[in-house]
Amino acid sequence: NVGVYPKNAWVTPSELFKPYFGYTIANFMINQMENRGQDTLRIVEIGPGTGTLADSILDFYKNYSLDLYRNCEYILVEISPQLAQKCEEVLSKKHK
């Protein structure tokens, strides 16, 4: 990721503990949906960087809840054009 992140950037838990950090969040969201009787999911992630967290969450749903994977809405808000491009490259390869 040299050239993508600025010199003062730090590594996030979603990158350090990939994919388990994202899996944990995805599982938590499923539990919350079940507790509330919801069947639709919309995720808004602010500052996704290179898309590591989104990729892990979507992988979890793809493997453990295919209906939710196919029907969830995932919105990414990234201010950096370089990171947005990298995020799109990462996610478009595995998730459509």
Side-chain angles (χ1 to χ4, degrees):
N1 290 333
V2 176
V4 175
Y5 286 111
K7 291 180 183 178
N8 62 345
W10 64 92
V11 179
T12 64
S14 60
E15 293 168 332
L16 285 173
F17 304 111
K18 179 184 176 181
Y20 306 106
F21 187 79
Y23 286 6
T24 302
I25 293 171
N27 190 50
F28 174 79
M29 287 189 275
I30 287 176
N31 289 333
Q32 291 300 303
M33 289 176 63
E34 289 172 354
N35 290 341
R36 297 174 182 182
Q38 296 174 319
D39 58 358
T40 58
L41 177 63
R42 176 185 289 162
I43 302 168
V44 179
E45 184 178 347
I46 308 298
T50 59
T52 303
L53 180 60
D55 184 37
S56 294
I57 289 172
L58 291 170
D59 275 347
F60 182 88
Y61 292 144
K62 186 187 259 185
N63 292 317
Y64 298 104
S65 183
L66 193 54
D67 286 339
L68 186 59
Y69 174 77
R70 289 179 176 155
N71 295 310
C72 77
E73 181 179 1
Y74 208 117
I75 301 165
L76 303 164
V77 180
E78 177 57 62
I79 193 170
S80 164
Q82 294 86 1
L83 290 174
Q85 180 181 0
K86 180 66 176 173
C87 185
E88 185 176 350
E89 289 170 10
V90 168
L91 296 176
S92 66
K93 288 179 185 175
K94 294 172 62 179
H95 309 286
K96 296 182 183 191

